[in-house]
Structures are given as C-alpha cells and as structure tokens.
Amino acid sequence: MELVTFWFILITVLWIGYLVLEGFDFGVGMLLPILGRNDTDRRVMINTIAPIWDGNEVWLIVAGGATFAAFPEWYATLFSGFYLPLLLILVGLIIRGVAFEYRGTIEGDRWRNLWDTAIVVGSTLPALLWGVAFANIVRGVPIDADKQFTGTLFTLLNPYGLLGGLTTLLLFAFHGALFLGLRTEGEIRARAIALAAKLSVPAIGVAVVFALWTQLAYGKAWTWGVVVVAAVALLTAAYGAFREREALGFGSTVLATASAVVLLFGCLFPDVMPSSTNELFSLTIHNASSTHYTLVVMTWAACFLTPVVILYQSWTYWVFWHRIGATKIPPGHGLPWSTPEAEASYR
Amino acid sequence: MDALDLARWQFGVTTVYHFIFVPLTIGLAPMVAIMQTVWFRTGDERWLRATKFFGKLFLINFAIGVVTGIVQEFQFGMNWSEYSRFVGDVFGAPLALEGLAAFFLESTFIGAWIFGWDRLPKKLHLASIWLAAIGVNLSAFFILAANSFMQHPVGVEYNAETGRAELTSIGALLSNNTVLWAFPHQITAAFMTAACFVAGIAGWWMVKARHQAQVDSHTRHEKVELYRPVFRFACVVLLVAGVGAAVTGDGQAKLMYQQQPMKMAAAEGLCETEEGAGFSLFAIGNPGDGHCDVQTFAIPGVYSFMATGDFNATVPGVNQLQAEYSEKYGDGQDYVPNLAVTYWNFRAMILFGVLGAALGVVGLWVTRKGRNPGRWFGRLALIAIPGPFLANLTGWVFTEMGRQPWVVAPNPDGDWTIRMLTQDGVSTVGPWSVGISLVTFTLLYGSLAIAWFGLIRRYAAAGAPGIEEAPDHDDDADRPLSFAY
C-alpha cells in the first residue's frame, strides 16, 4: 500500500476516534437541559464525562496535526476555505471546555446557569457544524487552479450540507443519551434510555436519507456495504433503546458513527477535497500530500505512539467506568458567590 | 486594515493570551507533582494540603490553557494557509508529534489525577500528575522545535518543482541549536512564573496567618507552619530557575547574533556598526525614529560581549544589515523590525525577570533561620507575582516581532532559499472574515480572562483546604465520588 493511502486511512481512523468519543460527550452536553431537571441531575450528567472529555478532544487536535503534516495542501485549503464554520466550532469548544471546569467552582445559580448555557451551546454548535463541514467536503466545493477555495459561507449552506449537519446533531444526541443510560443509575438512567428511544426515530430517519443521498450521489460499489452496516447498527441501537439494553445500544451507535465516517471518507477517496469548479483542480491524496520522507517519519511515530495512547486512554475509561447516580454526588465544593467574609479576607 | 494586518493582530492577540496561562501550567504541574511527592514520602499532611491548594489553582489555569491551544493549531490553516502550504511538509510534523506524544498524555492523566483521589492507588495517582507534568513539558519542546524552524530553518531543502520547503532530516529539525537553547530558556522562565506564583501566594498567606487577630494562637501557628515550607521551596525554585533563565538567555543572545543579527541589533537600537558597543539600559526618545543618538545610558562594551563574548568586538548596526540583506534577499523590502517594540520589549523582559527573581532572594533572606518577615512582605509577595508573567510575554513579543518581516527567517549559514516574508504567508481570506474572528476572539478571551482572574483571586484568598478523613475502601462501588464537578 502506498504511504499516502495509509495516511488517508489513518486520518479516517483519527476522525472515527474523535467523532465516536466526542460524539457522546457532545450528546451529553446537548441533553443537559432536557435530562437534567435539577442541579444534581446535571452534575450527574457532567460527571459521566468529566474525567475523559479532554482526552476525547485531543483526537481532534491530532487529526488536525496529522492532516497538516501528511496533507498540508488539504489542511491549508480546508481550514482557510471553511473559515467561519471553523470559527464557530472553535468558539463552541472553548466555552464548553472552560464551562466543565468552572461551573462547580462557585456556588450560585446565576454562575452555574451561565456555564450550563455555555455547555449546551458549545456542544450543539460543533455537533451540527462538523456534519455540515464533512458533507461539503464530500460534495465538493469551488476550488481554483491555485488550490484556493473560491466560495463563500453560503456555498456551504446547501441542502445536502445542512442535512449532514442535522444527521450528526441527531446522531450525537442519540449516542449521548445511550451513553448516559450506560453510565448512570436510578431515575436519570431511566429517563435517558426513554429519551434515547424517542430520539432513535428522527435520528434513524434523517441518517437513512443522508446515507442514501451520499451513496447514490458519491458512493462506490463497496460503500454499499458500509451503508448496510450503518443501517443495521442504527436499527440495533434503536432496539437496544426500546428494550433498555443500553450497552447493546451504545455499542451500536459507536459502530454507526464509525461507519458514517467510513462512508464519507470512502466516497471521498482518492480525493481529499474535490473541486466543483473543475475536476482537474481537485485535491487528491497525491497532489495534496507531504513528501515521502515526511510520511515515513510520521508513520514510525504513529506506529509507536498510537497503540500506547489507546492503551492508557482505555485504562482511564476502565478506571472511571462505574455508574453514577444522584446518591454518589457529594455536596458542591465551590466557594460562595460573594460574602462579606470573603471580601474581607482579601484585605 | 487589510487581511494581513488583521491576521497579524489576531495571531498576536490569541498567542499572547494563550501565553499568559501556558508558562504557569508548564511550571506549576511539576511543582504540584513535587509537593505531592513530598507528602507521599513523608506523610506530612501540610504537603497534602499544599498539593490540593495549588492543584486547584493549577486546574483553574489549565482549563483556559487547553481550550485556547486549539485556536493556535487551527489558525495556521485559517489565517496563514500560504505559509502552511510552503512549510507544511516540515512544520506539520512537530505539531502532529506534539498531539500524539504530549497532548494525549497530559489530558488523559490530568483527568485521572483530578478524579483519581481516593480511587486510584496512591502510587498510581502520584504517577498520574508526574505523567501530566511530563506531557506538558514535552509539548513545550515540540512547539518550540516548530517555532525554532521559523527562526532558523534546518533539516530542510527547497524543492523548485513544488515551490515548497521539504523535510530532509527530522533529527536535524528536532536538534536545531535554536531549540536546544530556546527550550531550557522557556522552561526556566516557566518555572520562574510558577515559582513566583506559588511564593507570592504562600508568602502572602504566611504573613497574613501571623497577623490574623481572630484566630487563636494554635491555629495561627499551624497556618504559618503550613505556608512557610511551601514558600521557601518556591523561593529556591525561583532562584535556581532565575539563574538558569539568565544563563540560557545569554546563550540565546549569542546564537541570535549569529542567526538573526538584525534582531539582535534591533534589540539594542544599534543603528550604526560599532566597535565595543555598549548595552543600552534605557533610552530617552523613541529608538524607532531612525536616529542613533538615543542611547544615553549604556554600559560600554557589554553589548559586544553579550553577542560575541569579546568586549571589543565590532558588531553590525541596523543600517549596515539592511544594506547586506537588500543585496542578499532583494531590494525594495524593509528588513528592519519595529525598533521601538523590539528595543523596549527586550528591556522589559530582563527587568521583569529580575524583579520576579528578586522575590526569591528577599524571601529566603527574611525567612532565614526561622525568622518571620513583617506585614510589608505580604504585599510585596503579591506584587511580585506578575513579574515573570510579563517577562514571558515581552520576551515572546520580542522574539516574534524581532523576526519580522520574516515568518520564516533565512538561515545565514544554510539554504537561503528557505525563507518567507510574513506578507506572503497569509491566507486569501477576505478581511471581513478575519475581522469578525478577531473581534470574536478578543471579546471571548477578554471575558474568560476576567473569570480566570476572579477565580484565581478567590481561591487563593480562601487558602489551603482542610483534609477530610479518607473514605473506607471496602464499599468502593457505593460510596460517593471523592471529587465531582
């Protein structure tokens, strides 16, 4: 296999890792106001992802870095071309990351509500926009002979792109609800599973339309197999939700998310960013890649480091894999919003 | 303003902001790890309380450092896509390595450390904070290796066919002598930042505890005994790191003189070539207005010595270098960086660094042989905290602005064709997009900075937490979490 093909596959794997893992923590964030009826509920929800969300997000940083190193032209055209959606994604990721850490530091409703809003907005924006971005990559965008994106923000807001965004939004909400069913106990678990069952219907509906559109417009013969796997996984996930077998359901949404990424990247290959202006201007794994030497160096690094990373990340999942419920949440340990004593202590 | 100016402002704003938190993170992670190690080995609860106290302040800081880091990576593609196309083959590698080797390590083990109190075995929990600290420092190495390539490109050759810089040796890239000096300089500066932060807060508490009239003498004694050893430990770190920063800074200056003579001349505001040039302490008037008569307070010979190790050496001035550069790299380009910015930031870096380090000297002196300082010292300790922060910021502004107009400065001893002017590296993105994002980031970062400062102040003023009884391990599955958001 050519190294450029290997790197295309590796970047696919990094995106699978990112979207499968952060997919459920986006879902947990989006469902915060829906499933979290009081502060304790919301704290239960946040604590299911608190030790791991940061590690999940690193998959994105590595996917970005790997694209920069292996396909610099793709990185340059994509990131400058999708400027405003990426800006919104960054804003989302910034506010939600700070919110997880800061919400519990001060005891006060206004303080917590502010950061809860940040978590919801910061989870919803990327969950929607990653879908829009990937759908547009597969669909093709105007790229000129100099590998420059020549469209505008509105080029990206086409029906197929928006459907892609809706798909990831619903899929991640479904994925997150099943994750909460798996990681919580008591009333909140029951509510999460019931919500997962309700979400399964629109999620599957939209995902099927998007998958078929993708396959019919951009698919290859072998990607029909991926569509079938995705469909079976989604139906199994729904079955898991309705039968309250959340482990089966969650495992299935993992598979469904992974197959969605495989479908999109499979349709793309061997292009990395097709041009809608002229086929000859498309970025491919060949004309967008780094030199052979750089790829060799990066391959060695990836082969040594990736297994180690997967090993210790799995270890943290294993260590913190215990159900959390309202009874296990200790009283808040933040400082008071403001008291005369606190103010006096500064002097 | 056009897209270039806006993109440069955005790079400056986001990087400077990111860099308020990063040095503190780099230095504080190992310092908290050391505190926890002392507790682990001695069982002395004071060190456990110190670990939790400074660990909390560390986490408040870490959160913002992490989220603002993503912007840095994305920004190369968003605002500097032509630069990314030119050097992606070389520059992407250390960034990807940083993610794979360092970011995964720090983010995973920080999570394990925060939520692992009483859940992980003590040894494994201690290992977690050490692994996170190693990850943080490792990431500094990779990012500095990437930056050093922009200062002094090595391990690379120009491919005329593709029109880009291509990597020929990863070993050369990672052992660039620029990074071998920049890394220890940055690490010692980061340790100064963290040590001054710890010494400032612990010193303030040490004094305050003695003067708290409302607490009984037993509590008072206990509190003084809690903060005093932490304070002295931080003073030692501050002093050692301060000496280290000065030594490595001197090494960097000599290297800069060889690799980027223009930056060095600009740092001194040296317009004309001079024999036995002096080190200008400060100038009256604006060193940037092109006159060379601003060096009023200079120590003779010291600049020549700093640059070459010889007090009488002849060092080239800005005007001579501009002529040389024009001949070598083409006419019609101003190769002189903004003189006022480089001149003043270089001085500010040294001044703030020295002021920060002074806390270590004074602190060890006033606490010698069991002595206790007076009330004045509490104020002084707090005032010293911003010193190393400002030294870091002004140091980076100097390093980056001093490189202008280059984004990749040519290597005078290497392949001259590997060079790029900043104006050629910018994306072809419309100024509106860059303007919107500049405003967005400035407002967002501004509000987050207020939250950060408020929380650090509040938690520092609340003091070290008491220690609760460790829960029984028998009913592991049913007991409440020891730490929860």
Side-chain angles (χ1 to χ4, degrees), chain B residues 422-440:
Chain B
T422 306
Q423 67 202 41
D424 298 331
V426 76
S427 300
T428 51
V429 175
W432 272 105
S433 300
V434 192
I436 289 169
S437 74
L438 174 61
V439 171
T440 308

PDB file of all heavy atoms in Angstrom, chain B residues 422-440:
ATOM      1  N   THR B 422       6.364  37.495   5.926  1.00  0.00           N
ATOM      2  CA  THR B 422       5.062  37.325   6.582  1.00  0.00           C
ATOM      3  C   THR B 422       3.920  37.647   5.614  1.00  0.00           C
ATOM      4  O   THR B 422       2.908  36.955   5.573  1.00  0.00           O
ATOM      5  CB  THR B 422       4.989  38.244   7.809  1.00  0.00           C
ATOM      6  OG1 THR B 422       6.126  37.978   8.624  1.00  0.00           O
ATOM      7  CG2 THR B 422       3.736  37.990   8.613  1.00  0.00           C
ATOM      8  N   GLN B 423       4.099  38.697   4.825  1.00  0.00           N
ATOM      9  CA  GLN B 423       3.026  39.120   3.913  1.00  0.00           C
ATOM     10  C   GLN B 423       2.700  38.059   2.860  1.00  0.00           C
ATOM     11  O   GLN B 423       1.604  38.036   2.322  1.00  0.00           O
ATOM     12  CB  GLN B 423       3.409  40.438   3.240  1.00  0.00           C
ATOM     13  CG  GLN B 423       4.581  40.307   2.292  1.00  0.00           C
ATOM     14  CD  GLN B 423       5.287  41.636   2.051  1.00  0.00           C
ATOM     15  OE1 GLN B 423       5.484  42.425   2.974  1.00  0.00           O
ATOM     16  NE2 GLN B 423       5.672  41.887   0.814  1.00  0.00           N
ATOM     17  N   ASP B 424       3.674  37.150   2.584  1.00  0.00           N
ATOM     18  CA  ASP B 424       3.426  36.102   1.593  1.00  0.00           C
ATOM     19  C   ASP B 424       2.775  34.865   2.204  1.00  0.00           C
ATOM     20  O   ASP B 424       2.392  33.947   1.481  1.00  0.00           O
ATOM     21  CB  ASP B 424       4.745  35.681   0.927  1.00  0.00           C
ATOM     22  CG  ASP B 424       5.380  36.840   0.173  1.00  0.00           C
ATOM     23  OD1 ASP B 424       4.633  37.716  -0.301  1.00  0.00           O
ATOM     24  OD2 ASP B 424       6.625  36.873   0.076  1.00  0.00           O
ATOM     25  N   GLY B 425       2.697  34.822   3.521  1.00  0.00           N
ATOM     26  CA  GLY B 425       2.181  33.620   4.178  1.00  0.00           C
ATOM     27  C   GLY B 425       0.695  33.658   4.465  1.00  0.00           C
ATOM     28  O   GLY B 425       0.095  32.653   4.811  1.00  0.00           O
ATOM     29  N   VAL B 426       0.088  34.824   4.280  1.00  0.00           N
ATOM     30  CA  VAL B 426      -1.289  35.000   4.725  1.00  0.00           C
ATOM     31  C   VAL B 426      -2.277  34.301   3.780  1.00  0.00           C
ATOM     32  O   VAL B 426      -1.987  34.108   2.597  1.00  0.00           O
ATOM     33  CB  VAL B 426      -1.592  36.512   4.875  1.00  0.00           C
ATOM     34  CG1 VAL B 426      -1.788  37.165   3.511  1.00  0.00           C
ATOM     35  CG2 VAL B 426      -2.779  36.758   5.786  1.00  0.00           C
ATOM     36  N   SER B 427      -3.435  33.913   4.312  1.00  0.00           N
ATOM     37  CA  SER B 427      -4.479  33.274   3.506  1.00  0.00           C
ATOM     38  C   SER B 427      -5.119  34.284   2.571  1.00  0.00           C
ATOM     39  O   SER B 427      -5.072  35.490   2.820  1.00  0.00           O
ATOM     40  CB  SER B 427      -5.589  32.724   4.410  1.00  0.00           C
ATOM     41  OG  SER B 427      -5.102  31.774   5.295  1.00  0.00           O
ATOM     42  N   THR B 428      -5.787  33.781   1.561  1.00  0.00           N
ATOM     43  CA  THR B 428      -6.532  34.674   0.677  1.00  0.00           C
ATOM     44  C   THR B 428      -7.961  34.836   1.193  1.00  0.00           C
ATOM     45  O   THR B 428      -8.908  34.855   0.430  1.00  0.00           O
ATOM     46  CB  THR B 428      -6.580  34.110  -0.749  1.00  0.00           C
ATOM     47  OG1 THR B 428      -7.031  32.764  -0.659  1.00  0.00           O
ATOM     48  CG2 THR B 428      -5.244  34.163  -1.419  1.00  0.00           C
ATOM     49  N   VAL B 429      -8.094  34.901   2.500  1.00  0.00           N
ATOM     50  CA  VAL B 429      -9.418  35.044   3.113  1.00  0.00           C
ATOM     51  C   VAL B 429      -9.768  36.530   3.139  1.00  0.00           C
ATOM     52  O   VAL B 429      -8.895  37.378   3.309  1.00  0.00           O
ATOM     53  CB  VAL B 429      -9.386  34.468   4.544  1.00  0.00           C
ATOM     54  CG1 VAL B 429     -10.697  34.720   5.252  1.00  0.00           C
ATOM     55  CG2 VAL B 429      -9.079  32.996   4.500  1.00  0.00           C
ATOM     56  N   GLY B 430     -11.060  36.848   2.984  1.00  0.00           N
ATOM     57  CA  GLY B 430     -11.464  38.246   2.979  1.00  0.00           C
ATOM     58  C   GLY B 430     -11.252  38.903   4.333  1.00  0.00           C
ATOM     59  O   GLY B 430     -11.324  38.234   5.374  1.00  0.00           O
ATOM     60  N   PRO B 431     -10.971  40.208   4.323  1.00  0.00           N
ATOM     61  CA  PRO B 431     -10.732  40.899   5.593  1.00  0.00           C
ATOM     62  C   PRO B 431     -11.931  40.839   6.536  1.00  0.00           C
ATOM     63  O   PRO B 431     -11.757  40.858   7.753  1.00  0.00           O
ATOM     64  CB  PRO B 431     -10.444  42.345   5.175  1.00  0.00           C
ATOM     65  CG  PRO B 431     -10.731  42.445   3.736  1.00  0.00           C
ATOM     66  CD  PRO B 431     -10.789  41.075   3.156  1.00  0.00           C
ATOM     67  N   TRP B 432     -13.141  40.715   5.977  1.00  0.00           N
ATOM     68  CA  TRP B 432     -14.324  40.646   6.845  1.00  0.00           C
ATOM     69  C   TRP B 432     -14.281  39.432   7.755  1.00  0.00           C
ATOM     70  O   TRP B 432     -14.539  39.524   8.957  1.00  0.00           O
ATOM     71  CB  TRP B 432     -15.613  40.627   6.017  1.00  0.00           C
ATOM     72  CG  TRP B 432     -16.091  42.000   5.736  1.00  0.00           C
ATOM     73  CD1 TRP B 432     -16.008  42.672   4.551  1.00  0.00           C
ATOM     74  CD2 TRP B 432     -16.697  42.900   6.678  1.00  0.00           C
ATOM     75  NE1 TRP B 432     -16.521  43.934   4.704  1.00  0.00           N
ATOM     76  CE2 TRP B 432     -16.958  44.102   5.988  1.00  0.00           C
ATOM     77  CE3 TRP B 432     -17.038  42.796   8.016  1.00  0.00           C
ATOM     78  CZ2 TRP B 432     -17.543  45.201   6.610  1.00  0.00           C
ATOM     79  CZ3 TRP B 432     -17.618  43.883   8.653  1.00  0.00           C
ATOM     80  CH2 TRP B 432     -17.857  45.074   7.938  1.00  0.00           C
ATOM     81  N   SER B 433     -13.944  38.277   7.141  1.00  0.00           N
ATOM     82  CA  SER B 433     -13.900  37.050   7.944  1.00  0.00           C
ATOM     83  C   SER B 433     -12.878  37.181   9.059  1.00  0.00           C
ATOM     84  O   SER B 433     -13.145  36.844  10.211  1.00  0.00           O
ATOM     85  CB  SER B 433     -13.516  35.859   7.066  1.00  0.00           C
ATOM     86  OG  SER B 433     -14.453  35.682   6.047  1.00  0.00           O
ATOM     87  N   VAL B 434     -11.679  37.659   8.704  1.00  0.00           N
ATOM     88  CA  VAL B 434     -10.630  37.769   9.718  1.00  0.00           C
ATOM     89  C   VAL B 434     -11.029  38.799  10.764  1.00  0.00           C
ATOM     90  O   VAL B 434     -10.802  38.601  11.964  1.00  0.00           O
ATOM     91  CB  VAL B 434      -9.276  38.154   9.070  1.00  0.00           C
ATOM     92  CG1 VAL B 434      -8.154  37.968  10.070  1.00  0.00           C
ATOM     93  CG2 VAL B 434      -9.010  37.317   7.836  1.00  0.00           C
ATOM     94  N   GLY B 435     -11.655  39.888  10.312  1.00  0.00           N
ATOM     95  CA  GLY B 435     -12.095  40.918  11.250  1.00  0.00           C
ATOM     96  C   GLY B 435     -13.110  40.385  12.242  1.00  0.00           C
ATOM     97  O   GLY B 435     -13.004  40.613  13.448  1.00  0.00           O
ATOM     98  N   ILE B 436     -14.091  39.629  11.724  1.00  0.00           N
ATOM     99  CA  ILE B 436     -15.108  39.062  12.612  1.00  0.00           C
ATOM    100  C   ILE B 436     -14.455  38.153  13.655  1.00  0.00           C
ATOM    101  O   ILE B 436     -14.755  38.210  14.843  1.00  0.00           O
ATOM    102  CB  ILE B 436     -16.160  38.274  11.790  1.00  0.00           C
ATOM    103  CG1 ILE B 436     -17.033  39.239  10.994  1.00  0.00           C
ATOM    104  CG2 ILE B 436     -17.030  37.408  12.707  1.00  0.00           C
ATOM    105  CD1 ILE B 436     -17.914  38.565   9.962  1.00  0.00           C
ATOM    106  N   SER B 437     -13.524  37.323  13.189  1.00  0.00           N
ATOM    107  CA  SER B 437     -12.935  36.390  14.149  1.00  0.00           C
ATOM    108  C   SER B 437     -12.014  37.121  15.129  1.00  0.00           C
ATOM    109  O   SER B 437     -11.926  36.740  16.297  1.00  0.00           O
ATOM    110  CB  SER B 437     -12.226  35.241  13.444  1.00  0.00           C
ATOM    111  OG  SER B 437     -11.022  35.647  12.892  1.00  0.00           O
ATOM    112  N   LEU B 438     -11.361  38.190  14.663  1.00  0.00           N
ATOM    113  CA  LEU B 438     -10.514  38.956  15.593  1.00  0.00           C
ATOM    114  C   LEU B 438     -11.360  39.559  16.719  1.00  0.00           C
ATOM    115  O   LEU B 438     -11.024  39.444  17.902  1.00  0.00           O
ATOM    116  CB  LEU B 438      -9.762  40.063  14.840  1.00  0.00           C
ATOM    117  CG  LEU B 438      -8.952  41.038  15.698  1.00  0.00           C
ATOM    118  CD1 LEU B 438      -7.865  40.321  16.481  1.00  0.00           C
ATOM    119  CD2 LEU B 438      -8.310  42.122  14.833  1.00  0.00           C
ATOM    120  N   VAL B 439     -12.487  40.152  16.331  1.00  0.00           N
ATOM    121  CA  VAL B 439     -13.371  40.746  17.339  1.00  0.00           C
ATOM    122  C   VAL B 439     -13.922  39.655  18.271  1.00  0.00           C
ATOM    123  O   VAL B 439     -13.938  39.802  19.495  1.00  0.00           O
ATOM    124  CB  VAL B 439     -14.525  41.516  16.656  1.00  0.00           C
ATOM    125  CG1 VAL B 439     -15.562  41.954  17.671  1.00  0.00           C
ATOM    126  CG2 VAL B 439     -13.973  42.713  15.894  1.00  0.00           C
ATOM    127  N   THR B 440     -14.352  38.518  17.664  1.00  0.00           N
ATOM    128  CA  THR B 440     -14.914  37.428  18.469  1.00  0.00           C
ATOM    129  C   THR B 440     -13.908  36.936  19.504  1.00  0.00           C
ATOM    130  O   THR B 440     -14.222  36.816  20.694  1.00  0.00           O
ATOM    131  CB  THR B 440     -15.307  36.249  17.558  1.00  0.00           C
ATOM    132  OG1 THR B 440     -16.130  36.737  16.520  1.00  0.00           O
ATOM    133  CG2 THR B 440     -16.045  35.183  18.337  1.00  0.00           C
TER     134      THR B 440
END
